[in-house]
Amino acid sequence: MRWIKKRLSEIKTKFKQNEPVPVDINKLVQNAVKLILSEEEINIVPTYQDGIPTIYIDENKIRSVICNLLSNALAAISKSNRKNGQISVITDVITLNRIQYIQVSIEDR
């Protein structure tokens, strides 16, 4: 029973809503790439669109998502034993129904 209470407390803390802060998504993604892939011998193909506006988001949650996607891409390359694996990291702004969205794409090959 103690374990369950402790685990619930950890989950609540992890998913606690933080106040949105202004974030440069390109810098956030670049820092995540350095954090996750800097020690790896993987070809990284970055394409960061200039002029992406600063947005107000929960920086920690988005960083966690980006790091998880990068880790998954790295794991997929490692599992497949690809010798020349590469990870493409792309940021851009797309427009759907006259609404602009920031898009982050991470693809392993």
Side-chain angles (χ1 to χ4, degrees), residues 23-30 52 55 57 62 91 102 104:
V23 174
D24 177 332
I25 201 74
N26 281 338
K27 285 184 183 174
L28 186 140
V29 172
Q30 290 167 359
I52 292 180
I55 56 173
I57 57 174
I62 299 301
T91 63
I102 295 174
V104 177

Side-chain angles (χ1 to χ4, degrees), residues 4-48:
I4 293 172
K5 286 182 181 179
K6 182 180 176 190
R7 188 66 182 131
L8 285 173
S9 176
E10 289 171 358
I11 291 170
K12 286 179 183 177
T13 301
K14 185 175 182 178
F15 290 101
K16 180 181 165 187
Q17 179 76 25
N18 290 329
E19 288 296 316
V21 295
V23 174
D24 177 332
I25 201 74
N26 281 338
K27 285 184 183 174
L28 186 140
V29 172
Q30 290 167 359
N31 289 337
V33 167
K34 286 178 191 172
L35 178 70
I36 301 298
L37 303 177
S38 65
E39 301 294 318
E40 302 298 326
E41 292 183 22
I42 269 273
N43 184 27
I44 302 164
V45 182
T47 307
Y48 303 116

Side-chain angles (χ1 to χ4, degrees), residues 14-104:
K14 185 175 182 178
F15 290 101
K16 180 181 165 187
Q17 179 76 25
N18 290 329
E19 288 296 316
V21 295
V23 174
D24 177 332
I25 201 74
N26 281 338
K27 285 184 183 174
L28 186 140
V29 172
Q30 290 167 359
N31 289 337
V33 167
K34 286 178 191 172
L35 178 70
I36 301 298
L37 303 177
S38 65
E39 301 294 318
E40 302 298 326
E41 292 183 22
I42 269 273
N43 184 27
I44 302 164
V45 182
T47 307
Y48 303 116
Q49 182 178 332
D50 290 333
I52 292 180
T54 299
I55 56 173
Y56 283 80
I57 57 174
D58 183 331
E59 184 175 13
N60 291 328
K61 286 183 183 175
I62 299 301
R63 181 184 298 109
S64 179
V65 169
I66 299 298
C67 287
N68 190 30
L69 291 171
L70 291 166
S71 294
N72 290 347
L74 182 61
I77 289 171
S78 296
K79 228 179 204 185
S80 69
N81 293 321
R82 287 180 260 171
K83 300 214 187 270
N84 296 323
Q86 76 177 30
I87 297 175
S88 297
V89 181
I90 302 166
T91 63
D92 59 359
V93 176
I94 60 170
T95 303
L96 297 171
N97 298 325
R98 295 183 292 178
I99 299 172
Q100 289 189 320
Y101 298 91
I102 295 174
Q103 177 174 281
V104 177

